[in-house]
């Protein structure tokens, strides 16, 4: 069974949280246990020392006997405050006073080994049942009680302070149980939040995966809903939608490109095929053969131009031209050569040329061959769509760090709705001109692509009887 990304992330987070809580709980419990035990021992020693000092003062200065009832009452009060059990023995180890209310410990004997350990004093806390005094082993600390006889200090009794470990363990278990309940609640809450957060974070990714699968089936209309948050997932969603827009645009272009190429190829091929069959089967009279062979030749050349334009377009799209933009050339000279190469077309349409070219050279930088094609395409377009016996104008001038080239003609106005698309591939304002014009709709696209590669701009303005293209070039540094 396939596991989703958010489920795996949730399991990872849950495992990390569980291990973290286990480690933290274990370390915290161990540390708290050691700290509590240390504090309990310290309190036991303090209770032992202060109570022994009190008994000594009561015995030496006030003559209070170890078996006095007031002493037992004081031990009971101290036990209730401190939580420890206290017993007092005489010098022979016989219990004379006790903090407990019953008298079960009175008269019992504390072994000599325990008395000797208590006589050494210090802060020694050990596990012991104090002989047969207590039925269980407990933490015990003992100290001697000193008095004076004939002016000499001597031990006249012993004080033992003890704590029942069972009570301490019960308290500790209660505390650990509360801690465990809190920890489990926090862990469950963390798991739930982590699960919901991981699922919410994975939702855009799941939508992207679904959209990608639809893309693979050819449906490029799907988009992923983007949130208003400024986070990584939002940026990824926006980038994904931008990619989807690009893919949809590319797919639309691909379909249009195939349709346009098919249309452009179909017309001349139909003409060539039809006239060739007419020549072969004798439908076309012999005296008209030369005329229709000329048509076949013209359409063949048109096919050749279409293929060449498509190759130029492919070359512009696949070749990085950044390494050819450091050349220097005189843009005025390139315009003159382009006019000379088109002289035959200009004469055939009986056009007048108005050229305003500076006498001094204007050195610009870029790929001279590519810019020559730009000038040639613009002039060829201007000649092609000029009115018979009309005017074609070309002008070059320099302004600041840029050179400007203007190509214009007095032909038909380009429709306003067509102006934004004239640099698109295969775009033709006159949809019927495939048959009777030489253009294939790639000339201006190639012009725009070359200028884009040079990081330059081209502008177009069309009004009644005048259409003008102006493009820029960077002035070469001396």
């Amino acid at each position: 069974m396939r596991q989703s990304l958010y489920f795996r992330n949730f399991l990872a987070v849950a495992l990390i949280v569980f291990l973290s809580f286990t480690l933290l709980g274990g370390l915290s419990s161990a540390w708290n246990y050691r700290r509590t035990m240390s504090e309990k021992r310290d309190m036991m020693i303090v209770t032992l020392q202060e109570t022994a000092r009190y008994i000594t003062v009561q015995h030496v200065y006030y003559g209070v006997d170890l078996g006095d009832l007031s002493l037992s009452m004081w031990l009971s009060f101290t036990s209730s405050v401190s939580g420890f059990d206290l017993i007092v023995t005489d010098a022979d180890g016989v219990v004379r006073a006790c903090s407990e209310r019953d008298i079960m410990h009175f008269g019992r004997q504390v072994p000599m080994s325990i008395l000797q350990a208590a006589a050494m004093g210090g802060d020694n806390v050990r596990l012991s049942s104090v002989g047969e005094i207590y039925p269980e082993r407990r933490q015990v600390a003992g100290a001697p009680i000193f008095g004076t006889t004939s002016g000499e200090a001597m031990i006249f009794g012993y004080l033992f302070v003890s704590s029942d470990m069972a009570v301490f363990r019960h308290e500790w278990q209660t505390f650990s149980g509360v801690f465990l309940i809190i920890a489990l609640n926090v862990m469950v809450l963390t798991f739930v939040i982590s699960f919901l957060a991981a699922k919410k974070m994975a939702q855009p990714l799941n939508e992207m995966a679904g959209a990608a699968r639809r893309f693979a089936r050819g449906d490029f209309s799907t988009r992923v809903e983007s949130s208003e948050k400024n986070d990584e997932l939002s940026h990824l969603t926006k980038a994904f939608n931008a990619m989807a827009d690009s893919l949809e645009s590319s797919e639309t272009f691909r379909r249009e490109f195939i349709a346009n190429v098919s249309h452009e190829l179909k017309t001349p091929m139909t003409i060539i095929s039809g006239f060739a069959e007419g020549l072969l089967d004798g439908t076309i009279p012999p005296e008209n053969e030369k005329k229709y062979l000329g048509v076949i030749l013209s359409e063949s050349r048109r096919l050749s131009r279409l293929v060449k334009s498509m190759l130029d377009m492919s070359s512009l799209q696949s070749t990085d031209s950044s390494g050819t933009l450091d050349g220097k050339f005189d843009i005025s000279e390139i315009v003159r050569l382009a006019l000379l190469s088109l002289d035959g077309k200009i004469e055939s349409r009986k056009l007048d040329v108005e050229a305003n070219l500076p006498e001094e050279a204007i050195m610009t930088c870029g790929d001279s061959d590519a810019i020559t094609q730009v000038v040639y395409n613009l002039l060829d377009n201007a000649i092609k769509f000029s009115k018979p016996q009309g005017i074609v104008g070309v002008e070059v001038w320099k302004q600041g760090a840029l050179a400007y080239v203007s190509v214009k003609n007095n032909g038909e106005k380009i429709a306003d709705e067509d102006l934004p698309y004239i640099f698109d591939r295969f775009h033709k304002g006159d949809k019927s001109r495939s048959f009777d014009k030489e253009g294939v709709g790639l000339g201006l696209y190639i012009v725009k692509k070359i200028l884009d590669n040079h990081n330059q701009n081209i502008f177009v303005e069309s009004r009644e009887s005048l259409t003008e293209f102006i493009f820029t070039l960077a002035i070469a540094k001396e």
Side-chain angles (χ1 to χ4, degrees):
M1 181 178 180
R2 183 178 63 89
Q3 291 182 338
S4 61
L5 176 63
Y6 75 85
F7 183 71
R8 293 197 300 270
N9 289 340
F10 165 71
L11 289 179
V13 172
L15 180 60
I16 292 174
V17 171
F18 176 76
L19 292 177
S20 300
F21 265 96
T22 302
L23 180 61
L24 179 63
L27 293 176
S28 177
S29 297
W31 179 78
N32 278 304
Y33 181 85
R34 293 177 62 87
R35 181 181 62 83
T36 304
M37 290 297 297
S38 177
E39 291 178 354
K40 201 173 187 68
R41 289 190 182 95
D42 293 341
M43 187 179 296
M44 184 179 292
I45 296 301
V46 171
T47 302
L48 176 70
Q49 294 173 347
E50 294 300 324
T51 304
R53 185 178 297 111
Y54 172 81
I55 295 173
T56 299
V57 170
Q58 292 295 314
H59 177 71
V60 173
Y61 292 100
Y62 300 103
V64 177
D65 186 69
L66 296 181
D68 194 277
L69 180 60
S70 63
L71 180 59
S72 293
M73 294 177 63
W74 172 256
L75 293 180
S76 297
F77 173 75
T78 303
S79 175
S80 64
V81 173
S82 65
F84 302 122
D85 294 327
L86 299 92
I87 59 174
V88 176
T89 70
D90 57 18
D92 296 326
V94 178
V95 176
R96 301 292 304 277
C98 177
S99 62
E100 298 184 19
R101 293 184 179 181
D102 54 29
I103 58 174
M104 60 181 296
H105 299 320
F106 284 83
R108 291 190 176 186
Q109 181 76 36
V110 176
M112 185 57 64
S113 59
I114 297 178
L115 296 178
Q116 291 174 351
M120 297 176 60
D123 300 337
N124 188 15
V125 178
R126 65 184 65 84
L127 287 175
S128 173
S129 60
V130 195
E132 300 298 329
I133 302 297
Y134 298 106
E136 74 283 340
R137 290 170 61 84
R138 53 172 57 193
Q139 285 188 322
V140 179
I145 301 174
F146 291 96
T148 57
T149 302
S150 303
E152 294 183 1
M154 60 177 297
I155 297 175
F156 72 92
Y158 296 91
L159 172 65
F160 294 94
V161 178
S162 64
S163 175
D164 188 356
M165 294 300 295
V167 175
F168 173 74
R169 291 190 187 96
H170 177 72
E171 293 176 354
W172 181 251
Q173 289 172 357
T174 302
F175 169 79
S176 299
V178 173
F179 175 82
L180 181 61
I181 292 174
I182 295 175
L184 288 175
N185 289 333
V186 172
M187 287 176 62
V188 170
L189 181 62
T190 303
F191 292 161
V192 171
I193 294 175
S194 300
F195 179 80
L196 295 177
K199 187 174 182 178
K200 185 174 181 61
M201 290 176 62
Q203 182 178 357
L205 300 178
N206 292 334
E207 292 180 4
M208 290 181 199
R213 287 191 290 269
R214 287 189 286 273
F215 289 167
R217 295 193 296 266
D219 179 11
F220 296 98
S221 61
T222 304
R223 297 295 182 272
V224 179
E225 184 178 355
S226 177
S227 65
E228 299 299 328
K229 297 180 181 179
N230 187 25
D231 55 14
E232 291 80 0
L233 273 177
S234 176
H235 294 166
L236 177 61
T237 301
K238 292 176 181 176
F240 185 88
N241 287 336
M243 180 195 69
D245 292 338
S246 177
L247 287 174
E248 186 175 25
S249 177
S250 297
E251 178 63 14
T252 301
F253 163 72
R254 183 186 68 83
R255 293 175 180 173
E256 292 179 352
F257 178 81
I258 293 174
N260 288 328
V261 169
S262 300
H263 175 70
E264 295 293 339
L265 292 175
K266 181 179 179 180
T267 301
M269 291 177 67
T270 300
I271 294 172
I272 293 172
S273 176
F275 289 158
E277 289 177 358
L279 291 172
L280 289 174
D281 61 18
T283 304
I284 298 176
E287 62 271 16
N288 292 332
E289 288 182 357
K290 185 174 182 181
K291 173 185 174 181
Y292 289 104
L293 284 173
V295 174
I296 291 175
L297 177 61
S298 175
E299 292 300 324
S300 299
R301 288 173 176 171
R302 183 179 173 190
L303 281 175
S304 178
R305 287 193 300 272
L306 174 62
V307 173
K308 181 180 181 301
S309 296
M310 292 174 62
L311 290 174
D312 291 341
M313 179 183 69
S314 176
S315 176
L316 287 172
Q317 289 180 326
S318 61
T319 303
D320 181 9
S321 60
S322 59
T324 65
L325 303 184
D326 55 355
K328 295 182 180 180
F329 54 88
D330 180 8
I331 183 59
S332 299
E333 184 63 23
I334 283 182
V335 172
R336 291 189 187 96
L337 293 175
L339 285 171
L340 287 175
S341 65
L342 293 168
D343 185 63
K345 290 187 176 183
I346 294 171
E347 289 294 331
S348 66
R349 296 182 60 83
K350 295 181 171 47
L351 302 175
D352 291 332
V353 177
E354 292 182 354
N356 186 7
L357 306 177
E359 294 183 0
E360 71 279 5
I362 298 181
M363 301 303 296
T364 55
C365 58
D367 184 346
S368 60
D369 292 337
I371 299 303
T372 298
Q373 187 172 6
V374 169
V375 175
Y376 184 93
N377 286 1
L378 291 176
L379 284 172
D380 186 55
N381 254 21
I383 293 169
K384 189 186 307 177
F385 297 108
S386 289
K387 294 180 180 179
Q389 300 179 355
I391 298 174
V392 173
V394 59
E395 184 178 1
V396 178
W397 72 94
K398 181 170 67 172
Q399 182 176 336
L402 295 176
Y404 291 82
V405 180
S406 168
V407 178
K408 55 188 174 183
N409 71 311
N410 57 347
E412 294 182 5
K413 178 181 181 296
I414 301 175
D416 293 338
E417 60 270 18
D418 286 330
L419 275 177
Y421 307 105
I422 60 172
F423 294 109
D424 291 352
R425 289 165 277 202
F426 293 109
H427 177 77
K428 294 180 181 180
D430 181 2
K431 304 300 180 183
S432 64
R433 76 179 190 185
S434 290
F435 180 80
D436 57 359
K437 299 291 183 181
E438 296 180 355
V440 294
L442 290 175
L444 290 180
Y445 168 79
I446 292 173
V447 166
K448 185 69 167 61
K449 188 65 177 179
I450 290 174
L451 292 175
D452 285 345
N453 288 343
H454 284 71
N455 295 320
Q456 297 301 315
N457 297 314
I458 184 168
F459 312 94
V460 58
E461 181 182 5
S462 185
R463 52 186 183 273
E464 293 298 332
S465 301
L466 180 65
T467 298
E468 181 177 17
F469 289 84
I470 300 176
F471 69 89
T472 63
L473 288 173
I475 299 294
K477 296 181 181 180
E478 297 182 359

